[in-house]
Amino acid sequence: ASIVTILINTRLVQYGGDLAVGAYSLISSIAILIIMPILGVNQGVQPIIGYNYGAGNVQRVKRAFWLGFWVNTIIATLGWLFVELFPRQIISIFNKDDLQLIAIASEGLALYLLALFGVGPQSACVNFFQSIGKAFHSMSLSLLRQVVLLIPLVLILPHFWGLNGVWFSGPISDFGSTVIALVFLLLEFRRLRNFSGNS
């Protein structure tokens, strides 16, 4: 996370200057506020999924997972609607005086979190694999969003789109990792269905 932040800040300085770096710090703070309750939901369902998976109670595993999945999706979607509809008002809570910072940060907020609605489902999938003891799957999906997709996008996109290229690296990474996480999930649920049938 530190390496990614350093890389993003470097590109922001290059294409947007110090104001863009300040804007990113505000965007990160707002994103954390939305993601924190999602992490709380994950922590709540994780022992339930893990216990029932160990006990072979596949139906309860699925019920616990889908409950967390949809709660996370609702939280992420509400957060996404909020930042897309009211970006300037949200940024103004942190800084009312610097109009240039407000302009850059509000545009960056709307663009960088354009696929925030996918963070809830993606996070639930990562948590699911961690809960059932599949650390490799969980780590791979987590790194996919933060490293494998995001770093190349931050390096490549600004060459074509400038500062907007930095902002767009976020939603492209979020959307791509969400799609792949859902594919992993469907494959695992197919295995669970076979496991349940054999048992």
Side-chain angles (χ1 to χ4, degrees), residues 34-53:
I34 298 169
I35 292 172
M36 281 176 63
I38 291 174
L39 298 179
V41 172
N42 287 344
Q43 290 179 352
V45 300
Q46 188 176 83
I48 300 171
I49 293 173
Y51 176 83
N52 286 285
Y53 182 79

Side-chain angles (χ1 to χ4, degrees), residues 11-79:
R11 301 301 266 176
L12 288 171
V13 168
Q14 185 178 357
Y15 290 95
D18 293 338
L19 280 176
V21 176
Y24 180 67
S25 68
L26 292 177
I27 294 166
S28 297
S29 299
I30 293 164
I32 288 171
L33 289 175
I34 298 169
I35 292 172
M36 281 176 63
I38 291 174
L39 298 179
V41 172
N42 287 344
Q43 290 179 352
V45 300
Q46 188 176 83
I48 300 171
I49 293 173
Y51 176 83
N52 286 285
Y53 182 79
N57 192 336
V58 175
Q59 292 306 313
R60 190 166 290 178
V61 168
K62 290 182 177 180
R63 283 201 302 271
F65 167 76
W66 285 117
L67 177 62
F69 180 94
W70 289 116
V71 171
N72 280 355
T73 301
I74 291 169
I75 293 170
T77 302
L78 289 175

